[in-house]
Amino acid sequence: MSVSQEVFIDKLRLVLRSPLRFAGNFAMHSNVSGHSRQQQTNDVFSEKWKKYDQSLETERLYAFQRAWYLKLYGFESESALRDHLARCRVVFDAGCGLGYKAAWFAELAPHALVVGMDFSEAARHAARKYANLPNLLFIQGDIAVSGFQDGAVDFVSCDQVIMHTESPEETFAELARITSRVSGEIACYFYARKALPRELLDDYFRGECGKLDRQALWAMAEQLTELGKRLSALNVQFESPDIPGLGIKGGRYDIQRFIYWNFLKCFWNEELGREASVITNFDWYSPSNARRFSEQEVRAIVHGSGLTERFFHAEEACYSGRFVHRAT
């Protein structure tokens, strides 16, 4: 362990409620949930992140995700994110997965303590992969019970995660508790509700997927990916009418996009590649916990935790924003 890493571990101990024992840059807080749905979700993500870690397409995906992150949270460029992080002492990547965004933050802000936490085995993999960054530490644990002291964190990033927790409302309240009331921000992403047929089918298929073993789940993800690819290859567009009763918006659609948004998730992205598309389809139907929200519900969760919007973004897939305590 380098001296500089020891310094950052000491800084982390000062902002935790209870001490943790680190082995290098990794500590175990918890890897078991008392909720069966949450435990199944954790197990699925351990499987997913293992697959990602072995993929040859990860760097392409990470580059795509970093660019999307800037858009989702209102940063005009990577330099703007760097400037924002320059004011932070403690950064928390809540639900860090394989840690590539946590590593990004740590590289942009080498002065700051950056902590990545994930309930799945991904946290351990991330610790091994990014052991070269002294200011980056990883904890396996539940972000809904983070262990940080009140107001200890300057920037919380909970990107594409909160809907996979047992109670997103309680998780967001925990993130609000640990965020500094002086200058802290939470960057958080919520799945958006889709058209009614898609919502009904999603719920039904997610229930059925709980009865399948992992091999069958991966096979289905492959099949959905192939469907998305074939529909995209048709290159057919048409004008759909508005159907308000089903939540289907009128307009000009590519046939694959029309089916995707309104009926069945069959993700395909030529730029990301087949493997990343398969993993994305697996990610959608496999976890038991995968809440979707209306814009009103998102704002209610934020306001209910005593926060307000500094930046808010809405698109077909999601709502995202940067949120601050009202007194800030």
Side-chain angles (χ1 to χ4, degrees):
M1 183 186 297
S2 67
V3 173
S4 54
Q5 187 179 80
E6 289 177 348
V7 168
F8 284 106
I9 289 176
D10 287 341
K11 288 183 178 181
L12 178 56
R13 290 187 176 121
L14 292 175
V15 296
L16 291 177
R17 285 177 159 179
S18 302
L20 289 174
R21 180 175 296 179
F22 275 83
N25 64 344
F26 176 79
M28 172 65 72
H29 183 263
S30 173
N31 63 352
V32 177
S33 173
H35 303 279
S36 59
R37 289 169 58 89
Q38 186 65 65
Q39 188 60 49
Q40 186 274 345
T41 300
N42 296 350
D43 293 342
V44 161
F45 278 107
S46 292
E47 176 89 5
K48 168 196 166 179
W49 291 124
K50 180 181 177 182
K51 195 86 167 180
Y52 260 134
D53 203 27
Q54 297 168 351
S55 172
L56 299 177
E57 299 170 354
T58 52
E59 289 309 316
R60 199 181 342 172
L61 177 69
Y62 293 170
F64 173 87
Q65 287 285 344
R66 285 191 288 266
W68 197 30
Y69 188 92
L70 299 175
K71 175 185 175 183
L72 287 173
Y73 301 110
F75 296 107
E76 293 183 357
S77 64
E78 185 178 77
S79 294
L81 176 59
R82 180 186 287 109
D83 291 344
H84 179 79
L85 295 176
R87 302 189 293 271
C88 300
R89 297 163 302 164
V90 181
V91 176
F92 181 40
D93 188 359
C96 64
L98 287 176
Y100 62 94
K101 283 195 289 286
W104 186 32
F105 301 151
E107 289 167 349
L108 292 176
H111 68 284
L113 165 64
V114 181
V115 181
M117 179 181 285
D118 204 276
F119 219 167
S120 77
E121 292 294 321
R124 193 182 295 274
H125 292 295
R128 287 197 290 264
K129 186 169 184 176
Y130 297 110
N132 62 309
L133 295 171
N135 63 324
L136 177 56
L137 305 173
F138 289 96
I139 301 171
Q140 186 169 354
D142 185 357
I143 65 169
V145 191
S146 70
F148 282 99
Q149 294 178 12
D150 292 356
V153 182
D154 300 297
F155 183 64
V156 174
S157 176
C158 187
D159 184 43
Q160 304 174 60
V161 173
I162 201 163
M163 49 282 166
H164 297 304
T165 63
E166 186 67 22
S167 170
E169 293 85 354
E170 292 179 10
T171 301
F172 193 88
E174 168 70 357
L175 300 180
R177 179 189 69 78
I178 68 174
T179 301
S180 170
R181 290 180 172 273
V182 178
S183 58
E185 285 190 357
I186 301 174
C188 195
Y189 170 112
F190 301 80
Y191 280 153
R193 283 190 183 161
K194 313 299 188 298
L196 181 59
R198 167 75 191 271
E199 286 294 314
L200 294 174
L201 284 168
D202 277 355
D203 283 339
Y204 176 79
F205 283 143
R206 191 167 285 111
E208 290 300 298
C209 285
K211 304 171 187 177
L212 301 177
D213 61 28
R214 297 292 161 74
Q215 186 175 354
L217 286 170
W218 282 115
M220 187 182 75
E222 290 272 2
Q223 294 152 7
L224 288 169
T225 301
E226 183 62 26
L227 175 61
K229 181 180 180 182
R230 293 187 188 188
L231 288 170
S232 293
L234 293 174
N235 198 26
V236 172
Q237 294 191 342
F238 75 103
E239 197 76 28
S240 172
D242 254 330
I243 312 176
L246 296 180
I248 295 176
K249 299 174 184 176
R252 190 156 190 82
Y253 284 91
D254 173 88
I255 189 66
Q256 188 267 343
R257 290 283 93 184
F258 181 76
I259 292 173
Y260 178 91
W261 289 123
N262 298 305
F263 295 95
L264 176 69
K265 186 181 180 83
C266 47
F267 183 83
W268 169 252
N269 186 305
E270 186 80 36
E271 181 183 349
L272 293 181
R274 185 178 186 86
E275 203 167 2
S277 296
V278 169
I279 291 170
T280 300
N281 284 314
F282 176 87
D283 174 70
W284 184 255
Y285 287 115
S286 300
S288 295
N289 286 341
R291 284 262 303 277
R292 287 88 67 201
F293 302 85
S294 67
E295 181 175 338
Q296 292 75 17
E297 288 170 330
V298 170
R299 293 185 188 273
I301 290 172
V302 172
H303 299 162
S305 293
L307 276 69
T308 191
E309 300 86 344
R310 175 163 284 174
F311 170 84
F312 195 84
H313 172 83
E315 59 182 77
E316 292 283 355
C318 65
Y319 302 103
S320 61
R322 284 157 48 207
F323 309 108
V324 297
H325 286 281
R326 289 199 184 99
T328 302

